[in-house]
Amino acid sequence: MKKNNSLLRREPISNTNLLMTITVCTFICMYVIAMIAWGGGFLNPQQFLDLFNNNAYLLIIACGLTMVMISGGIDISGGGITALVTMVCVVYLEDHGGTVLGSLFIALGIGLAFGLVHGILVSYLEIQPFIVTLAGMFFARGMITIVSIAPRTAAHEAFLKLKQARITLPGIGYYGKTGNFIPAQIEPGVLVAITIVLVIAVILKWTRFGRNLYAVGGSSHSALTLGINVKRTKFYAYLFAGLLSGISGYVYLLHTGAGDAANAAQAEMQAIASNIIGGTLLTGGVGNVIGTLFGMLSLKTITNIVIASGLTKPYYQSITTGLMLCFFILLQSVILAIREKGHFRLLLPEWMRFGKTSKNESD
Amino acid sequence: MGNGLKKFTRSQLVIPLFSLLLLVVFNLIRDVEFFSVSIVTNNQGNRVLSGNLISILNGASAVAIISIGMTLITSSCKGQDISVAAVAAIAGSVFVSVLRSNEITVPVIILAFLFSCLVTVLFSTFNGILVAIFKIQPMIATLILFSAGRSIAYWINGGATPTVSSPLLSSIGGFIPGIPIPSPIIIMVMFLILISLVLRFTNLGLYTQVVGINEETAHLNGINPILIKLIAFMISGICVATAGCITVCRIGLINHETLLLDAEMDVILTVAIGGTALSGGKFNLYGSVIGAYIIQALTVTLYAMKVPSAAVKAYKAIVIIVIVMISSPVVKEFAINLYKKLFKKQVGTNIPMKAS
């Protein structure tokens, strides 16, 4: 009888899933309202896909950052590494007669090297992650100008072919002004980004490493007493983040085809903002990469909405971004504070849950 | 002697002073001329001091002033304010817009400064409320103003980069006639003395550290952590306004995009090098100020070595990593163990093992 009761009692949704649900709902609401209010571009599937086309690199950086933030750290070197990779790859392709495959390996190598150094310094030497990755960012941004001061454009034939490759989505498209059907297209970088999101979502949910990350971020001391190798877990988180920044650099290069010191400017802060909107907490232990995806989409959609509503001056965009961040940060803070007191439970039926939900300890 | 040495090696000032010494020795070996200070007559006819040392002290003053506020925030809130440079841009914009709407006289400058102080204190209090009352991580809370601040500055200026020029302003940003020392240095020293007097003669410094070390204990002892955090943010607001106004006076115009660009990163580094743990707790104001001079000395040294300005960041990063590695507790422990192994006879078992 007792067992039956506990089965009937619905488990409360976990913090991670609650914050993620809020983000997803807000994004959908925002987009639907935009569709109804402004129509036009928002009804065009290509504009939605362009959110991905233009920001695939940001999504990849943000995914790496999600892992680091879940483990309780921070990585602000993503934008710098991305820019460095674009520059080094272009110089390699143009001046050293490199191949596409070779440049891809260089991108991965640079990312791994940064991740390795960050990981060792943060987890084994116990230096503050902010300082380490800040130094990483400075180093990457400085190295770009050492490699080449002038912006460079890639004109490598095989690379250009890869850059201009587009994947046509069957059945989705829009009607042009002359009435002809133009199918929607995505860039290869988007496929990479989406694959990475899915892979990381699987890693976080169903592998030992993923669960260790949550444990370490929630309480590194408890994780240690449970026998989790805290240092190694953190090390791998930074290694992954570095590697993903390298991939992000290559995706950025596929999108723009140029190496420039100003590439991916402020990407690290946008990645942090995407994570926050997506419900990842800087304190660690809470977060999900699917939330990050929707966080990034919300961040970019609000810019589109601001432009569509006629406020085309660039400063309105950053002010609205700030306001949106403010809204999400306050919302999360209030919700988590109420939940801690145990007055607030969002109960979802079994089929609506995104997976296993953890039991609320303050029961 | 031995006791004093031990006390000194444990103090927070060891790493910053050691790094500064290293830089000085490096420059002495490289080029003794680096330290030469000469008296030249500038284009306004003043006899002023000039040289690398003066430019280090002068260039670092804005970052040093902001780092005072940042030290207090770091200590009490266990996090950093990344919006300082953006808020400084707002302060500069307010300063310039007040100056431009009036004739520039001494009372108007003071009024403009006070007004920009008021605005920055309001913005800092907003950050402080998010951090202290809503209990949001400082870095996240200040990300809001970090992304919106420079746009607000742009908005205040009406989308332009207005210039202000007056001999009074250039005497604040440059030299006061008759005094050979650049006035930003004088302002910086006065500011440091003021803040350290406030911290010495009130309990604010102690309370700030108590809140940073253990908020619960502070609360049980009758200290209001929310108030202390808010005060830290307000002081930081005044620091930021001062730094912003000095910078505006120095360059004579407000450019919301480039005013104190990347200064927030430099300031956080400064605090970390200065011996204050970024995770809060005990702070060291003088260490932070020395840290600002270390960063500036490093930059000037690199310029003197003909490193292009855009590439300076890369070398800076390497030096920063070396400095924080030396001060890392793990490395310290390793060094002590090595020392024990090498000199087992002299050293007993009671070497303090500093745990992290």
Side-chain angles (χ1 to χ4, degrees):
Chain A
M1 195 60 205
K2 207 176 181 185
K3 197 179 170 189
N4 209 3
N5 255 343
S6 68
L7 270 177
L8 281 174
R9 223 196 73 214
R10 289 182 293 182
E11 278 179 27
I13 186 171
S14 73
N15 281 346
T16 301
N17 287 343
L18 174 65
L19 294 178
M20 193 175 84
T21 315
I22 292 172
T23 310
V24 173
C25 292
T26 320
F27 171 70
I28 292 170
C29 288
M30 209 159 77
Y31 213 87
V32 168
I33 291 171
M35 274 178 177
I36 296 165
W38 289 286
F42 289 100
L43 293 173
N44 182 347
Q46 184 63 47
Q47 186 177 330
F48 179 72
L49 292 173
D50 276 345
L51 281 179
F52 285 94
N53 283 340
N54 298 334
N55 301 302
Y57 80 98
L58 181 61
L59 184 58
I60 300 174
I61 297 177
C63 287
L65 186 61
T66 305
M67 297 178 97
V68 173
M69 276 171 80
I70 288 174
S71 80
I74 186 99
D75 186 346
I76 55 170
S77 64
I81 299 172
T82 300
L84 179 62
V85 165
T86 59
M87 183 59 99
V88 172
C89 284
V90 169
V91 169
Y92 171 72
L93 284 172
E94 294 303 305
D95 298 355
H96 302 279
T99 58
V100 172
L101 198 66
S103 61
L104 185 60
F105 277 121
I106 285 183
L108 295 180
I110 291 174
L112 268 181
F114 271 93
L116 193 74
V117 174
H118 289 166
I120 290 172
L121 289 178
V122 172
S123 57
Y124 291 106
L125 295 187
E126 291 169 18
I127 305 173
Q128 323 244 8
F130 189 89
I131 295 298
V132 171
T133 51
L134 178 68
M137 183 183 88
F138 277 178
F139 186 71
R141 291 264 178 214
M143 279 307 282
I144 298 167
T145 48
I146 292 175
V147 173
S148 163
I149 289 178
R152 302 286 305 269
T153 314
H156 190 272
E157 240 173 70
F159 176 77
L160 281 184
K161 219 174 257 175
L162 185 65
K163 180 179 175 283
Q164 279 149 4
R166 291 286 182 278
I167 297 145
T168 310
L169 295 181
I172 304 173
Y174 57 100
Y175 291 97
K177 274 173 188 156
T178 50
N180 54 333
F181 185 77
I182 306 168
Q185 290 179 322
I186 55 169
E187 291 176 16
V190 178
L191 278 190
V192 177
I194 296 295
T195 318
I196 285 173
V197 169
L198 294 179
V199 166
I200 293 183
V202 168
I203 288 178
L204 286 179
K205 186 127 276 183
W206 285 293
T207 66
R208 185 183 287 177
F209 169 67
R211 286 195 292 263
N212 283 357
L213 268 181
Y214 282 101
V216 167
S219 164
S220 67
H221 190 73
S222 310
L224 194 67
T225 51
L226 283 172
I228 294 170
N229 192 335
V230 172
K231 286 182 178 175
R232 199 166 61 198
T233 311
K234 280 188 180 174
F235 172 74
Y236 279 131
Y238 284 94
L239 194 67
F240 260 104
L243 179 66
L244 290 181
S245 302
I247 297 174
S248 142
Y250 206 77
V251 169
Y252 195 98
L253 190 62
L254 280 179
H255 182 64
T256 63
D260 186 354
N263 272 354
Q266 302 284 327
E268 50 280 333
M269 289 304 162
Q270 286 183 16
I272 294 176
S274 305
N275 271 295
I276 294 164
I277 296 173
T280 308
L281 296 187
L282 193 61
T283 39
V286 177
N288 196 321
V289 79
I290 306 288
T292 305
L293 168 65
F294 282 94
M296 191 278 285
L297 289 177
S298 309
L299 196 68
K300 292 298 169 184
T301 307
I302 197 90
T303 315
N304 282 350
I305 291 177
V306 170
I307 293 171
S309 61
L311 304 170
T312 45
K313 289 261 169 59
Y315 60 86
Y316 284 118
Q317 295 166 22
S318 5
I319 290 178
T320 33
T321 310
L323 285 177
M324 185 165 131
L325 267 176
C326 185
F327 168 73
F328 273 97
I329 290 169
L330 283 178
L331 189 78
Q332 288 173 5
S333 158
V334 169
I335 286 175
L336 291 182
I338 295 172
R339 272 175 76 93
E340 252 169 40
K341 284 178 188 161
H343 296 309
F344 180 82
R345 292 246 167 87
L346 185 65
L347 297 176
L348 284 181
E350 195 75 66
W351 55 271
M352 265 183 76
R353 278 181 224 160
F354 290 92
K356 270 187 214 164
T357 51
S358 69
K359 259 188 187 167
N360 201 340
E361 293 301 326
S362 62
D363 219 330
Chain B
M1 170 62 199
N3 205 7
L5 192 72
K6 204 183 259 177
K7 209 172 174 185
F8 178 72
T9 51
R10 278 206 204 158
S11 92
Q12 288 166 310
L13 276 176
V14 148
I15 296 296
L17 284 178
F18 178 72
S19 330
L20 200 58
L21 190 73
L22 214 62
L23 268 175
V24 168
V25 171
F26 176 75
N27 273 316
L28 274 178
I29 295 168
R30 197 182 56 81
D31 184 11
V32 184
E33 282 294 296
F34 186 80
F35 293 99
S36 65
V37 173
S38 55
I39 292 185
V40 293
T41 310
N42 69 355
N43 48 14
Q44 278 150 9
N46 297 327
R47 291 171 61 75
V48 294
L49 290 171
S50 134
N52 283 324
L53 275 183
I54 300 299
S55 74
I56 290 170
L57 290 176
N58 193 2
S61 43
V63 168
I65 291 174
I66 300 180
S67 75
I68 293 173
M70 185 73 87
T71 310
L72 293 178
I73 292 180
T74 303
S75 168
S76 61
C77 307
K78 305 177 183 175
Q80 289 75 42
D81 182 349
I82 56 169
S83 69
V84 280
V87 177
I90 297 176
S93 300
V94 172
F95 188 63
V96 169
S97 58
V98 172
L99 286 183
R100 276 175 72 85
S101 55
N102 294 290
E103 201 182 329
I104 297 172
T105 53
V106 174
V108 168
I109 291 177
I110 293 172
L111 189 77
F113 172 66
L114 288 180
F115 199 66
S116 62
C117 270
L118 183 73
V119 173
T120 50
V121 167
L122 281 180
F123 277 108
S124 294
T125 313
F126 168 73
N127 282 337
I129 288 172
L130 287 183
V131 171
I133 297 173
F134 288 93
K135 306 237 180 314
I136 300 165
Q137 287 263 318
M139 227 191 102
I140 303 288
T142 53
L143 187 64
I144 299 167
L145 272 178
F146 174 86
S147 51
R150 289 193 187 270
S151 298
I152 294 172
Y154 183 81
W155 187 46
I156 292 170
N157 289 327
T161 55
T163 56
V164 279
S165 61
S166 151
L168 282 172
L169 288 181
S170 56
S171 69
I172 296 174
F175 296 90
I176 297 170
I179 299 174
I181 305 168
S183 19
I185 300 178
I186 301 170
I187 296 173
M188 158 65 215
V189 171
M190 277 162 51
F191 208 82
L192 182 63
I193 291 172
L194 185 76
I195 297 281
S196 42
L197 282 181
V198 167
L199 292 181
R200 178 147 295 236
F201 288 106
T202 64
N203 286 337
L204 193 61
L206 179 69
Y207 286 2
T208 307
Q209 301 189 17
V210 171
V211 169
I213 292 167
N214 192 333
E215 206 176 319
E216 199 60 33
T217 316
H219 190 68
L220 289 176
N221 280 304
I223 301 169
N224 186 352
I226 293 174
L227 188 69
I228 297 293
K229 285 179 183 177
L230 278 179
I231 288 175
F233 269 98
M234 283 173 186
I235 292 177
S236 166
I238 294 170
C239 296
V240 166
T242 315
C245 293
I246 288 177
T247 316
V248 166
C249 290
R250 184 183 292 157
I251 55 181
L253 64 94
I254 170 78
N255 186 342
H256 61 97
E257 286 294 345
T258 56
L259 183 85
L260 290 172
L261 189 67
D262 286 343
E264 60 273 342
M265 303 298 175
D266 274 349
V267 170
I268 295 170
L269 267 180
T270 294
V271 173
I273 291 174
T276 306
L278 291 188
S279 47
K282 277 180 86 75
F283 70 79
N284 191 331
L285 221 52
Y286 308 106
S288 299
V289 173
I290 293 172
Y293 292 129
I294 292 172
I295 303 243
Q296 189 67 23
L298 184 61
T299 314
V300 172
T301 309
L302 289 171
Y303 283 147
M305 288 165 71
K306 307 272 187 304
V307 173
S309 63
V312 161
K313 274 184 176 177
Y315 298 99
K316 226 162 136 179
I318 297 169
V319 177
I320 290 159
I321 285 295
V322 170
I323 292 176
V324 291
M325 261 173 77
I326 295 169
S327 55
S328 149
V330 177
V331 175
K332 260 187 202 163
E333 203 170 301
F334 179 76
I336 289 171
N337 279 340
L338 198 72
Y339 185 78
K340 256 167 100 177
K341 241 178 221 171
L342 289 178
F343 306 97
K344 240 177 190 166
K345 274 179 199 167
Q346 291 97 317
V347 182
T349 46
N350 56 351
I351 276 281
M353 290 277 285
K354 207 183 167 199
S356 64

